Structure formats: structure tokens, C-alpha cells
Amino acid sequence: MQPVCIVMIEDDEGHARLIERNIRRAGVNNEIVPFRDGTSALAYLLGPDGSGEASARRHLLILLDLNLPDMTGLDILEKVKANPHTRRSPVVVLTTTDDSREVQRCYDLGANVYITKPVNYEGFSNAIRQLGLFFSVMQVPETP
Amino acid sequence: MSGPTLMHAGYNPVLVALSVAIAILSAYVALDLGARVRGAAPGQRWAWVAGAAGAMGGGIWSMHFIGMLAFEMGMPVAYHLGLTALSLVIAVAATGVAFAWVNRAAAGLRDVLVSGPLMGLGVAGMHYTGMAAMHVPGNLAYSVVIVAASIAIAVAAATAALWLTFRQHGVRQKLLAAGVMGIAVAGMHYTGMAAATFTVEEAGAHAAHITALGQDQQTLALAVAGATFAILFLALFASSVDQQRVQEEYRASEARFRAAIQAVRGVLWTNDAEGRMMGEQPGWAALTGQTRAEYEGFGWASAVHPDDAASSLAAWAATVAAQRDFVHEHRVRARDGSWRHFAIHAVPILRAGAIREWVGVHTDITEQREAEAELRDSNEELQRYAYIVSHDLRAPLVNVMGFTSELEETRGEVAQALRDHPQAGRIDADLGEALGFIKAAVTRMEGLIAAILRLSREGRRAFRVEPLDMTTLLQGLADAQHHQTDAAGARVNIAPDLPEITADRLAVEQVFANLLDNAVKYLDPQRPGRITVTAVTAGSNRVRFDVADNGRGIAARDHARVFELFRRSGVQDRPGEGIGLAHVKALVRSLGGRIDVTSELGQGTTFSVTLPRKAATGQAGQAGPVSLAAE
């Protein structure tokens, strides 16, 4: 079985580093591919042609921040969940807001998990660690 | 020749014509004066009634008298002065009462049936009194049938004439009414004369005398007629002067009315009974630049904004069908091509129970609408701003807190590495102290940001209004806080008769929970705490709830400040972020109410929340969703 690749789309370098550290601390050693903006992340996920063929044989898990400089994470979520090659990849939304309407919107668009980045660091690292446990037991399906 | 001789009498045609002319003219004058009564000032009404009665009664009498003089019966005739005068009085009195009756303010068409016969009988009474005043050397006999016919003519004619008076508008109808009345009066007179049979015994003896008398009679008739005409013309002149005054008043009133409409930036228009715009509409034409051909019928709708036109036409049709007042709003293309926002109010003008026409006013409320939209925009912007700021402030905090925790992890490793270092304990303590301050500051900062976020969300929440029993609601809040209240040794009294209001339950609960919480929090330990909630009616549709305590009070200089975000007053010995009252104020405003504070340091504080009995749905709900561009 091909190992799962974690795609992390997060524009805040500090957040990205904290997330990575916590994932590693949770004992997850999968490859992490970081992106700082939506455009390059989409180019990677859907390929330069935007068809999604590029992800056809990948096992991906997407960590998605909603607040990106060039687009909102919701745009990416929508495209990923609409593409037949990527729609089965789990998407974990990580953001600063706990606005109920936004949470609802993410789930409506097909997000698998929604995690609020708490300032309370204990809660945050716990969540990430649990996510790490989640990764370790999870079978990410190979995208067709 | 022996025995009674039947007199063959004739009429002087000139005098007959004169008598009929007088009858018609006097009727016309009477109608003209009578028409003044309704428009006259209360004090002048009876003067016009008296004038009309004088003209009519005098005219009838004059006609009758000339008619008598026109009667050439070939024998000397003398008139009894007293009875002749009485006949004049009867004519004027009967006519006066009849006119007065139909001109009462409350008079209806039915009253003509009272006044008509009264006047008819008066005319007949006058006629036969006048006949009785006539002294002839022969005998006078009446045919009962023809007398009855003459009275019937008098009654019918008077009724018809009064009825015409009632519905006459223009000069032509007035002339028609006067003609009918005049001819009827003359007809009654000559019918009455036909009822009389004169017999004389010594006709021949007086033949020469008659000729001379005939001359006198003509002179008398002309004198009476001349005097009557003079009086009638004077009356007409008075009437026309009054008419001019009335028209002047009417013109002034209309000018005043138009100026008033313009002063409130209104455009006046009229529609016919079926709701079609007809005729000259100077206001509408000036506003839209439409020509008469363009706006007539329902053409006006083409000057209404395309989005509003169909709904406006439908609403107007429904209003016309239901015959009720029309209240509407739509946009109209002004002459310069700009769209203006108008509030429309139209009312049907009734006449005798049916709609005669519609009168409406378009009032320009463009500025008002623009100001409202601007206010809404800036409100939304403010909320969006608070939302964005709080989120963007939170992102760096995640880093500060995150890496502080990373440092804490590292602190353990540093302590391990410095295990044998003489300063190890101090270094670790320094690190711990620094990290502790950073974490406390971040926690506090996060609390403040969360509060701003909550405030901005509160502004966006759509209110759901429902009837609230305020006594139950407040008692529930007080019960929920009873631990704190008991701990403070305080008592909360909720008035048992608080009125019911219609509002959003959650918002109202938050307002009063905050106020009660504050009241308990800031009691004066020197005395047992007493907190009361009472209500008084404020204005027609508002209730003022007073939450009063005998706590430490708020200094006068802080009364406004306590409602500001993050501001607190007095000794800072209680936990809190300085959010509560700012939140309360925002909520109360969204509920369409206001909050005030009266307080004296060391005595106590009363927060007064004035809320509408029937709440609007709240601006919060109308603002619509705010875009989440920040995310």
C-alpha cells in the first residue's frame, strides 16, 4: 500500500510549523507537502491542466486553512470535492473561526473534519495529535 | 237688465307677461341667494335665508298683485290695505320657513317633502288672502274643484322647485329651476283666478269709471313691478359680490393647498372614479415630463420603475376595487432621468356614497431612503470590520500561544541540560515567570477578541420575536443566579405584575441577566443587598424596566463610560472584561429600545431599559447575511 501524503495548505508559517510539529509529535511520519497559497495548492492537487489526473493514483489527506491570501479555503474545498479524482481524499479544515454558519458550510461542501485552531495550545495540540491517531488508523482510499 | 250679471273679465296681456317675468326673476334670485346659505359663515346663514325668503315671497306677492291688476273685470276694484299686507307677510313667512328647513345643516333630500308642501300652502294662502283683500262691487264665488287644483299646483310646483334647488349646480340648472318655479307660481295664480266667479248688479253704472281705473291700475302695476325689479336686482348684486368673495376664498384656499403639498415635497394628482388618470395633472407632468396623452389612463405606470410598475398597478387596481385608502411606495423616473423614491397616499373622494374621484399625493422620500441605506451599509461595514479584525487578531495569537507552549516543552529540556549548573533553578524560574505572563496576556487577549466577535455576531443574529411574560422571565434569571445572590447575602425582588412584551427571548434574557449579574457583583458589603425590578409604562407603546440596587453606585463621570467596550468603573476588585454593558447596550438598541443609568456613588444604581411593547423584528434580521470574505 502506498503511504498517505499529507497536503497542508496554510499561509501562516507559524501555524504550519506548529501543525507539523504536533503531527510529528503524535508519531505520524507521513510525508507533508506544504503550500502557502491556494493557487499553487490547486495546481498540485488538480495538476496544471486542472483535470485532477495528477492526483489519480495518489493517497492524499488535505489539511486546509480557510483564510488564504489569494482565495478562500472554501473555493479549494469546493473544487477538490467536485473533482472525481480528488473527491474521496479526506479534507480536514483547520481555521481560526468557530462561526456556526461557516462550520455548516464546510460540512455541506464535503469537509470530513472541522477543527478550530484554539489559542489554548493544549487543546490545539490535542486535536492535532488525535488527528495523528486518526491518520494512523485511517485507510485513505486510492483515488481512481 | 235685472238680476245678477256674470262679468266677462279679460286680462291685460302686457301685465300678465310682466307678472310671469317677475315670478321667474324672483325665483331665480331666491335660488341664487339660497345657494349662498350653505357656504356662508354660521352667523350669516339666516341673513341669506331671510334674503331668499324676501325675494321669493315678495316676488310671488308682487306677481300676484300685478296679476290681479292685469285682471280686467270691468268694474271698480279697491284693495283692503291690511289684508293685502297680510298676504305679503304670509308669502314671505311661508317661503322663509320652507327655505330655512331645507337649508338646515342636517337637511337631506327628504326634507324637500316637508318644505315643498309648506311653501305651496303658503303661496295658496297668500293668494286667497290677497283675493279677500279685493273689494268689488259684485259678488265673488269660488269653484271648489279649481281651488283644490290651484293648491295642488302650488304644492307640486314648490316641491319641484325646492328639489331643483337642492341639486342645482350651474347657472343653467338654476335658470331651469327658476323657470319652473316662476311659471308654477303664475300658473297657481291664474288657476286660482279661474276658480273665482264675479257677479255684478249695476255694471253699466260704473262703465265710465272703469276706464279711468284701468289707467290707474296700469300705473300701479308698473310701479309695483318696477319696485320689485329694483329690489330683486339689488339682491342679485349682493349675491354676486358674495360670489366673488367666495371664489376669492376658494382660489386662495386652493393656492394654499398646492403650496402646502409642494412644501412637503409632494406631487398632487387626481384619478377618476375608476382609477384612471384623467385631465390636466400639472404636478405629475412636471415631475415626470410625461404629456397628457402619455400619462392618461394607466400610462403613468410607464414612468414608474420597471421593477415596481406591475406591483403598483396591481395594488392600485385592488385599492380601487376595495374603495379604500391607498398607501404605497415606488420609484418614479423624474424629468431629468433620475429615479426618485416616492411614498404614495391616495384617498377616494365620496359624493352621495359613491366615489367621485381619487386624490393622491406622491411624497419624495429619496433622501430618507438613501440615508437609511447608508446607515444600513455603515452598520454592516462596522459588523464586518469587527468580525474581520477579531479573526485577523486571533491568527497571530495562535502562534504566540503555540510557540509559548513549544517553549515550555523546551524549558523542560533546558532544565535537563542545565541540571548541574549553579544558576539552573533561577534560570528555570525566570523562564517560568516569563512564560506565565505571556500565557496570561494571551488568554486575556483572546477573551477580549472573543467578546468583540460575540458582539459582532449578536448584531447579525436574526431576532425571533415572541410574547414574553416578563415576571416569569426575570424570576427565572434571578433564580439562576441565586447562588451568587445568597453568597452576597442579597435579595432580589421581581415585581409580580411586570407587563408582557413581544421581543426576542434570548436577547431580553441576556440584557437582564447581565444587569442582575452586575447588580449582585457590585453590591456594597456595608449593607444587605436589595435588588428590585419594576416596570412603568412609557408612552403609548413602550415599557420602562428599572433594575435598581443599593450597591456601591457609579460616579457621575463614569455614567456614559460604563457602556463603552472594555471600560469599567470604580474599584477593580471583581473579575470581568468590561464587555457586559457594551453588549447590553448593543442588544437593547437592536431590540429597538434604549438604556439609561441613574446612580449615586455609595447609594445605588438604577439601570432603566425602555423597550417597545411590540418589537420590530430588529435591524439585525434585516441586515442580511454578511459575506465571509475574511475567512
Side-chain angles (χ1 to χ4, degrees):
Chain A
M1 196 181 90
Q2 209 181 329
V4 171
C5 171
I6 299 172
V7 176
M8 180 169 63
I9 309 167
E10 168 65 69
D11 71 315
D12 189 309
E13 213 174 342
H15 292 191
R17 189 84 187 96
L18 288 170
I19 290 165
E20 192 184 341
R21 279 194 186 198
N22 277 284
I23 287 171
R24 295 289 177 241
R25 205 168 282 144
V28 175
N29 293 312
N30 302 49
E31 184 194 359
I32 297 178
V33 186
F35 292 98
R36 303 276 306 272
D37 61 84
T39 313
S40 55
L42 276 179
Y44 174 82
L45 288 171
L46 303 178
D49 57 352
S51 66
E53 293 282 353
S55 296
R57 313 216 59 78
R58 290 171 177 160
H59 297 271
L60 297 177
L61 181 140
I62 301 162
L63 293 180
L64 179 61
D65 180 27
L66 289 186
N67 193 10
L68 297 170
D70 53 348
M71 63 183 74
T72 85
L74 291 171
D75 297 332
I76 297 175
L77 180 60
E78 206 166 0
K79 288 198 172 75
V80 164
K81 288 299 175 184
N83 188 290
H85 300 291
T86 56
R87 67 168 184 236
R88 289 205 181 84
S89 301
V91 176
V92 177
V93 175
L94 276 167
T95 188
T96 46
T97 183
D98 58 350
D99 184 89
S100 60
R101 283 186 306 175
E102 198 165 83
V103 176
Q104 199 57 53
R105 177 129 178 78
C106 285
Y107 281 121
D108 288 349
L109 286 173
N112 301 73
V113 184
Y114 185 103
I115 295 178
T116 309
K117 294 176 195 167
V119 175
N120 172 353
Y121 194 63
E122 288 305 310
F124 185 44
S125 50
N126 275 341
I128 300 282
R129 277 173 203 157
Q130 273 163 23
L131 201 60
L133 293 175
F134 174 54
F135 296 162
S136 59
V137 298
M138 180 175 62
Q139 290 286 325
V140 176
E142 188 180 317
T143 54
Chain B
M1 216 191 300
S2 64
T5 309
L6 191 65
M7 290 304 299
H8 287 283
Y11 285 103
N12 178 333
V14 176
L15 290 185
V16 168
L18 193 61
S19 72
V20 173
I22 283 183
I24 292 174
L25 181 66
S26 60
Y28 180 83
V29 172
L31 292 180
D32 195 58
L33 298 185
R36 314 259 117 228
V37 175
R38 276 173 190 266
Q44 295 171 356
R45 292 175 63 96
W46 298 114
W48 288 115
V49 169
M56 190 76 228
I60 291 170
W61 177 83
S62 175
M63 175 269 140
H64 162 84
F65 194 72
I66 293 166
M68 298 290 273
L69 297 177
F71 188 60
E72 297 163 338
M73 63 182 95
M75 58 182 164
V77 180
Y79 294 96
H80 187 278
L81 192 63
L83 282 175
T84 305
L86 179 64
S87 71
L88 175 61
V89 170
I90 288 173
V92 173
T95 316
V97 172
F99 278 165
W101 184 263
V102 286
N103 277 309
R104 281 176 311 136
L109 214 50
R110 183 176 300 180
D111 289 288
V112 168
L113 296 177
V114 176
S115 286
L118 184 68
M119 188 162 150
L121 289 174
V123 170
M126 183 277 303
H127 175 80
Y128 290 105
T129 311
M131 293 289 277
M134 195 166 69
H135 287 279
V136 288
N139 297 316
L140 186 54
Y142 289 106
S143 151
V144 177
V145 176
I146 302 182
V147 167
S150 76
I151 293 176
I153 287 174
V155 168
T159 308
L162 282 175
W163 179 66
L164 285 171
T165 316
F166 231 89
R167 56 190 299 273
Q168 47 104 355
H169 300 299
V171 174
R172 279 178 83 173
Q173 276 177 295
K174 217 188 286 182
L175 280 172
L176 180 69
V180 168
M181 205 147 155
I183 290 169
V185 167
M188 183 269 143
H189 172 83
Y190 291 108
T191 312
M193 291 298 277
T197 312
F198 296 93
T199 49
V200 71
E201 283 170 19
E202 295 169 51
H206 295 281
H209 190 57
I210 289 165
T211 325
L213 251 174
Q215 204 58 49
D216 281 355
Q217 274 188 339
Q218 280 202 3
T219 312
L220 185 59
L222 287 175
V224 168
T228 309
F229 276 124
I231 291 168
L232 290 178
F233 278 121
L234 275 176
L236 269 185
F237 180 70
S239 174
S240 80
V241 168
D242 187 61
Q243 175 67 27
Q244 273 184 352
R245 178 189 62 78
V246 167
Q247 264 176 357
E248 194 57 46
E249 268 178 19
Y250 172 73
R251 268 195 296 273
S253 153
E254 180 159 291
R256 203 157 43 224
F257 180 61
R258 288 196 179 278
I261 296 286
Q262 271 181 356
V264 295
R265 285 187 300 174
V267 172
L268 181 73
W269 49 263
T270 56
N271 270 13
D272 69 4
E274 282 76 42
R276 291 169 305 202
M277 196 176 262
M278 293 305 223
E280 291 297 329
Q281 303 289 347
W284 183 260
L287 167 66
T288 61
Q290 280 189 316
T291 63
R292 181 168 167 173
E294 282 169 338
Y295 64 64
E296 271 200 330
F298 299 99
W300 52 267
S302 60
V304 173
H305 195 283
D307 294 349
D308 303 345
S311 60
S312 295
L313 281 167
W316 178 238
T319 302
V320 172
Q323 310 200 342
R324 55 166 191 255
D325 285 12
F326 183 62
V327 179
H328 197 69
E329 270 186 34
H330 61 207
R331 286 160 289 173
V332 175
R333 192 182 46 241
R335 189 186 272 276
D336 62 5
S338 66
W339 292 106
R340 309 287 298 172
H341 210 115
F342 283 91
I344 306 122
H345 198 160
V347 291
I349 305 290
L350 299 177
R351 189 176 190 98
I355 291 183
R356 194 187 64 185
E357 61 177 349
W358 292 81
V359 175
V361 175
H362 268 61
T363 309
D364 194 330
I365 54 166
T366 310
E367 273 83 22
Q368 191 186 329
R369 281 281 169 276
E370 279 170 356
E372 280 168 13
E374 240 164 64
L375 192 66
R376 207 159 42 232
D377 283 354
S378 70
N379 246 337
E380 278 170 23
E381 202 172 317
L382 209 63
Q383 279 172 10
R384 231 173 358 242
Y385 180 73
Y387 192 80
I388 292 168
V389 163
S390 56
H391 279 85
D392 289 357
L393 286 179
R394 212 162 175 267
L397 272 190
V398 170
N399 278 333
V400 175
M401 200 60 159
F403 285 102
T404 306
S405 294
E406 290 296 313
L407 274 180
E408 264 184 333
E409 298 270 327
T410 316
R411 181 185 161 201
E413 291 170 31
V414 169
Q416 196 69 29
L418 295 181
R419 200 172 35 214
D420 301 325
H421 195 279
Q423 303 282 344
R426 186 192 55 80
I427 292 172
D428 188 58
D430 282 359
L431 274 176
E433 188 189 31
L435 290 171
F437 272 112
I438 294 173
K439 287 175 90 167
V442 170
T443 304
R444 172 144 178 73
M445 181 93 179
E446 208 224 350
L448 298 179
I449 291 169
I452 297 179
L453 197 59
R454 201 165 60 230
L455 276 181
S456 89
R457 276 193 199 145
E458 207 52 64
R460 291 182 307 150
R461 193 170 71 81
F463 282 172
R464 267 212 319 271
V465 296
E466 56 181 306
L468 303 175
D469 177 348
M470 291 301 280
T471 298
T472 311
L473 186 145
L474 276 153
Q475 196 60 57
L477 294 175
D479 292 346
Q481 286 183 357
H482 79 97
H483 282 302
Q484 293 94 305
T485 317
D486 292 349
R491 238 184 25 229
V492 180
N493 283 322
I494 311 289
D497 56 349
L498 296 179
E500 186 175 279
I501 63 168
T502 306
D504 180 79
R505 174 180 291 276
L506 188 59
V508 173
E509 279 180 352
Q510 284 179 347
V511 166
F512 288 99
N514 263 290
L515 294 179
L516 288 175
D517 184 51
N518 274 355
V520 174
K521 219 152 101 179
Y522 300 107
L523 285 170
D524 192 330
Q526 308 292 322
R527 51 181 178 266
R530 291 280 172 275
I531 298 159
T532 60
V533 181
T534 53
V536 289
T537 300
S540 58
N541 188 30
R542 296 170 89 76
V543 185
R544 198 185 79 216
F545 295 94
D546 291 329
V547 180
D549 64 58
N550 61 346
R552 55 172 78 161
I554 302 167
R557 65 186 156 80
D558 286 341
H559 283 184
R561 216 167 144 266
V562 290
F563 294 112
E564 286 174 24
L565 198 55
F566 306 140
R567 298 285 172 270
R568 303 176 73 201
S569 164
V571 190
Q572 304 290 312
D573 60 347
R574 294 284 189 276
E577 292 157 340
I579 304 286
L581 285 176
H583 186 202
V584 165
K585 189 170 185 177
L587 278 174
V588 169
R589 206 164 32 210
S590 302
L591 287 167
R594 56 171 296 147
I595 183 166
D596 301 284
V597 61
T598 50
S599 181
E600 204 172 320
L601 208 54
Q603 300 295 314
T605 304
T606 301
F607 281 98
S608 302
V609 179
T610 309
L611 293 174
R613 269 182 207 278
K614 292 241 183 287
T617 44
Q619 306 102 304
Q622 294 164 6
V626 176
S627 84
L628 298 168
E631 300 307 314

